[in-house]
Amino acid sequence: MQQAGLADDDDEEIWVKEEDDEEEEDGYYMDPRSPAVWTPGGRAGGTSNRRRAREEKERTKMRERQRRAITGRILAGLRQHGNYRLRARADINEVIAALAREAGWVVLPDGTTFPSSSSFAAVAAQPPRPVMVAAASPSATPLALPASSALPLRGIAPVAARPISHRPAPAFALLLPPRAAAASRSPADDVPDGNSSHLLAVPVPVPMDPAAAEDVPVAKQLQVPDVSPRPPERDFAGTPYVPVYVMLPLRVLKASGVDGVMVDCWWGNVEAHKPQEYNWTGYRRLFQMIRELKLKLQVVMSFHECGGNVGDDISIPLPHWVIEIGRSNPDIYFTDRAGRRNTECLSWGVDKERVLQGRTAVEVYFDFMRSFRVEFDEYFEDGIISEIEIGLGACGELRYPSYPAKHGWKYPGIGEFQCYDRYLQKSLRKAAEARGHTIWARGPDNAGHYNSEPNLTGFFCDGGDYDSYYGRFFLSWYSQALVDHADRVLMLARLAFEGTNIAVKVSGVHWWYKTASHAAELTAGFYNPCNRDGYAPIAAVLKKYDAALNFTCVELRTMDQHEVYPEAFADPEGLVWQVLNAAWDAGIQVASENALPCYDRDGFNKILENAKPLNDPDGRHLLGFTYLRLGKDLFERPNFFEFERFIKRMHGGNIS
């Protein structure tokens, strides 16, 4: 092992392993000058051949040391000036991978590299123009290549090219004209010395004759121009105002410029002990505090339990009197194939069943919402309450509880169907009889378990039973039960909150999105395989009641998911693009939330791109954004600075 110091950073070092370039095989030696001549043991070639071999070996080692020295300087520069997370002993493969990811490409652990859907979206959104490849040789002339065309929108594994984000075209090996580059930049993107960088280029090495390379200085063999630490950012000054809400606690958030707060009104707290006995005292005190701060309120009608999901740090069960009913009649809960009950929320099978002390589930929900509307009438009249979000399932989202951690599910498992309580089974039998195939009155018996992969099941694999006559029947019934539940509850919500904005939260099940079956979406109730749009029926029922669609995971980037969980075939960007367009095509408003904690600029920029699509011909943008997963990390100085900066850009303000 030989240790070589880095010229630009004495604190960093790279370990170099000298490799012997002699080729030996079964006692035979290959003459490097005459590769077609093999001599036993390397002796018959004579002394001159051995001397030439040693000289060639020394020259090879010298070239290798020069290349590694260049790699070391590149690593030091990227770590120091470009915020690249490269380890001190990184090799050239890691450098290339980091640059490719920065340019919007996806690099899998085995080295497989392909363009992300976001990079193709940017290319497709721009008019055709030449792309310049910067050559490494000082005397080379840039080579003009035709611009790439967009890929089909409904592709499946291994690449799904659905244009969703509006990132700039990949910076890897691209040259932008100074005028165009300047137009796409803001003052904040200037390089540290104060000079604007108009060349967004990474040199592409040109093969050089090994003998000639010895006479060329190291600095000329590979020249790296100055590049800005970050890719150009859009200037959101003057763009539409998108309000930003936060989940409690308030703390210092008022000063950051947020528009309001989101508050869960828990069914298990308010109607805890007896039917139709509501205790709103705590909420009244809280709402008064929010009014004094002159903030708006988004209120969630939370008909599910709190605890056991991402971000839950407290436990709020369903009302005690409902739990007592569940002890004697556990079929009021969603149930999996093994008979395990999920007590997070009530099964949609009891929506019209009088099992809750003489009331149906939808009647219980309506009475709760009507009580809230009467109790806080003044907040509606004064406009303090700006929106009511209607909880329709697990986590307050319109979905089946198909991936519960309490039953052992771990990401990226496909989940399980939740239709085995006797009420939903009765509905399935009725649908099968109406179709004339009573044998179809059953759930799939080859759909795997919570942590299965699609290709390892007979139902979800490519060409599996999900696309058979029975599979299409079952999935249509399963997803229609979800839509019917939304229809029933929203009809009563519109009566209770007449004249008030209402919304429904839809979860972003983005894993296995790049497979044909979209298995995780199917078990959650979204009938959205690669040959069907499963979100259009949901958008249609929301349109019927003038309800907005609140969607999650708008901060997630596909290439990040591939880096962490390449086996999940996730595509959050493709999913967001599909759902937002399904809603906008139906003529309904769209709001969004983050799915995971978000403190960095990259995540905030992804939210901005989705909130205000670039060059949208209709000028469409999000109705609002709610920041979830608020924790103490947000209030660390650099994180809170990024949060304030994000809010200003969401409001269309100038950050310079």
Side-chain angles (χ1 to χ4, degrees):
M1 302 291 288
Q2 175 178 341
Q3 181 176 340
L6 300 182
D8 295 333
D9 190 346
D10 293 337
D11 293 331
E12 303 285 358
E13 60 183 23
I14 183 168
W15 290 91
V16 179
K17 181 178 182 293
E18 296 289 3
E19 297 180 355
D20 193 341
D21 284 11
E22 290 183 3
E23 301 185 34
E24 297 184 1
E25 180 175 306
D26 297 331
Y28 280 75
Y29 167 75
M30 181 177 180
D31 189 322
R33 300 280 181 155
S34 304
V37 179
W38 292 79
T39 58
R43 295 185 179 87
T47 305
S48 60
N49 282 349
R50 289 197 296 272
R51 183 168 57 253
R52 286 195 300 270
R54 285 195 296 270
E55 292 173 355
E56 180 65 23
K57 177 181 177 181
E58 290 303 318
R59 282 195 293 270
T60 300
K61 289 183 178 181
M62 178 63 70
R63 288 194 297 270
E64 182 66 19
R65 282 193 289 270
Q66 290 174 342
R67 285 194 294 266
R68 292 180 184 272
I70 292 170
T71 301
R73 296 188 185 98
I74 294 173
L75 289 171
L78 292 175
R79 281 194 296 270
Q80 183 175 358
H81 304 295
N83 293 330
Y84 287 87
R85 296 180 178 177
L86 294 171
R87 59 192 180 92
R89 301 179 184 179
D91 58 22
I92 192 63
N93 291 338
E94 294 175 70
V95 176
I96 294 173
L99 295 175
R101 292 184 182 114
E102 180 71 17
W105 291 67
V106 175
V107 182
L108 300 183
D110 65 356
T112 303
T113 303
F114 51 87
S116 70
S117 54
S118 58
S119 64
F120 277 93
V123 174
Q126 299 175 4
R129 60 186 181 185
V131 178
M132 309 301 290
V133 180
S137 173
S139 61
T141 303
L143 174 65
L145 299 175
S148 301
S149 59
L151 293 180
L153 300 184
R154 294 292 290 174
I156 58 174
V159 182
R162 302 187 180 189
I164 35 72
S165 76
H166 301 271
R167 296 162 59 95
F172 185 76
L174 295 187
L175 289 177
L176 298 181
R179 182 175 301 173
S184 66
R185 296 181 57 79
S186 65
D189 298 314
D190 290 343
V191 292
D193 61 2
N195 297 321
S196 296
S197 174
H198 300 315
L199 289 181
L200 302 179
V202 177
V204 178
V206 175
M208 185 179 296
D209 180 69
E214 298 175 9
D215 301 324
V216 179
V218 171
K220 294 221 177 205
Q221 289 186 30
L222 185 62
Q223 295 183 346
V224 181
D226 291 337
V227 294
S228 60
R230 291 182 175 273
E233 291 183 326
R234 277 178 60 192
D235 183 1
F236 286 89
T239 56
Y241 186 105
V242 177
V244 178
Y245 292 78
V246 295
M247 206 71 172
L248 284 173
L250 287 173
R251 302 185 185 181
V252 297
L253 291 169
K254 169 64 177 177
S256 69
V258 298
D259 297 272
V261 298
M262 174 179 275
V263 178
D264 281 296
C265 277
W266 295 101
W267 181 31
N269 274 347
V270 176
E271 197 180 0
H273 302 292
K274 292 183 180 179
Q276 295 181 285
E277 287 190 5
Y278 308 104
N279 181 3
W280 300 106
T281 304
Y283 286 105
R284 178 164 286 280
R285 290 198 297 266
L286 174 61
F287 289 4
Q288 181 59 35
M289 293 168 53
I290 295 170
R291 169 187 275 182
E292 292 171 356
L293 289 171
K294 298 182 179 179
L295 292 170
K296 298 288 186 179
L297 266 168
Q298 285 181 332
V299 183
V300 183
M301 300 286 102
S302 297
F303 298 113
H304 62 287
E305 71 175 12
C306 178
N309 290 305
V310 176
D312 291 345
D313 53 7
I314 59 172
S315 176
I316 301 175
L318 297 183
H320 300 307
W321 59 274
V322 173
I323 294 174
E324 287 299 319
I325 293 173
R327 288 195 176 100
S328 58
N329 182 13
D331 284 291
I332 66 173
Y333 301 123
F334 284 108
T335 308
D336 64 17
R337 185 175 181 83
R340 288 170 291 195
R341 314 289 185 173
N342 191 316
T343 60
E344 185 176 352
C345 59
L346 298 182
S347 166
W348 301 332
V350 299
D351 277 359
K352 298 187 292 183
E353 300 286 341
R354 297 192 175 279
V355 294
L356 301 176
Q357 295 195 10
R359 292 186 295 167
T360 67
V362 292
E363 289 173 345
V364 169
Y365 303 148
F366 176 67
D367 291 342
F368 182 91
M369 292 186 287
R370 184 174 54 182
S371 173
F372 177 85
R373 178 62 181 84
V374 172
E375 181 71 22
F376 297 102
D377 178 70
E378 61 187 288
Y379 289 88
F380 286 94
E381 296 299 324
D382 294 343
I384 303 297
I385 296 178
S386 61
E387 182 181 87
I388 300 292
E389 184 173 288
I390 313 300
L392 292 176
C395 293
E397 301 168 336
L398 179 58
R399 67 171 176 87
Y400 288 88
S402 58
Y403 45 95
K406 66 176 70 175
H407 290 165
W409 174 85
K410 294 181 180 179
Y411 182 86
I414 60 175
E416 292 189 20
F417 292 112
Q418 304 289 313
C419 58
Y420 293 92
D421 63 85
R422 62 188 172 99
Y423 300 105
L424 285 178
Q425 285 291 295
K426 182 174 70 173
S427 172
L428 178 58
R429 284 194 300 272
K430 184 177 179 181
E433 291 169 0
R435 183 70 182 270
H437 300 284
T438 55
I439 194 174
W440 288 353
R442 58 179 177 81
D445 57 7
N446 59 346
H449 52 78
Y450 285 111
N451 294 312
S452 294
E453 297 180 8
N455 59 311
L456 300 180
T457 71
F459 192 80
F460 297 116
C461 66
D462 290 353
D465 290 346
Y466 81 92
D467 204 27
S468 66
Y469 288 112
Y470 159 72
R472 291 196 294 272
F473 159 77
F474 173 78
L475 293 172
S476 294
W477 167 82
Y478 190 73
S479 60
Q480 189 60 44
L482 176 148
V483 174
D484 290 344
H485 171 70
D487 194 325
R488 287 189 288 266
V489 179
L490 288 178
M491 178 182 65
L492 298 176
R494 179 45 71 198
L495 289 175
F497 300 114
E498 184 178 0
T500 301
N501 296 326
I502 62 174
V504 169
K505 183 177 177 181
V506 177
S507 58
V509 184
H510 54 80
W511 50 105
W512 305 113
Y513 189 83
K514 285 192 174 183
T515 61
S517 62
H518 293 216
E521 290 172 271
L522 297 185
T523 59
F526 307 126
Y527 191 7
N528 190 54
C530 66
N531 58 354
R532 190 179 188 277
D533 186 353
Y535 297 96
I538 296 173
V541 75
L542 268 58
K543 172 68 173 178
K544 181 178 178 181
Y545 299 106
D546 193 24
L549 188 153
N550 185 12
F551 196 63
T552 63
C553 77
V554 292
E555 85 286 6
L556 300 182
R557 298 186 300 170
T558 297
M559 66 177 180
D560 292 340
Q561 297 299 310
H562 278 288
E563 290 176 0
V564 180
Y565 288 102
E567 70 277 11
F569 287 97
D571 188 6
E573 294 182 353
L575 177 61
V576 169
W577 179 87
Q578 180 187 355
V579 173
L580 264 58
N581 280 275
W584 283 330
D585 289 347
I588 62 176
Q589 297 275 16
V590 184
S592 66
E593 300 176 353
N594 53 303
L596 299 174
C598 179
Y599 308 117
D600 63 291
R601 184 171 298 186
D602 289 339
F604 288 138
N605 283 346
K606 172 51 64 179
I607 297 170
L608 283 158
E609 291 171 7
N610 288 319
K612 307 176 185 185
L614 181 65
N615 298 328
D616 187 286
D618 301 313
R620 299 176 298 188
H621 57 84
L622 292 185
L623 173 67
F625 173 78
T626 301
Y627 182 84
L628 302 183
R629 319 301 176 197
L630 190 156
K632 63 180 182 179
D633 290 341
L634 176 65
F635 299 98
E636 294 179 4
R637 185 172 179 180
N639 294 342
F640 199 73
F641 168 79
E642 291 294 341
F643 182 68
E644 289 182 306
R645 183 178 184 272
F646 161 71
I647 292 174
K648 290 178 182 177
R649 302 180 82 196
M650 286 289 278
H651 290 169
N654 195 329
I655 61 172
S656 59

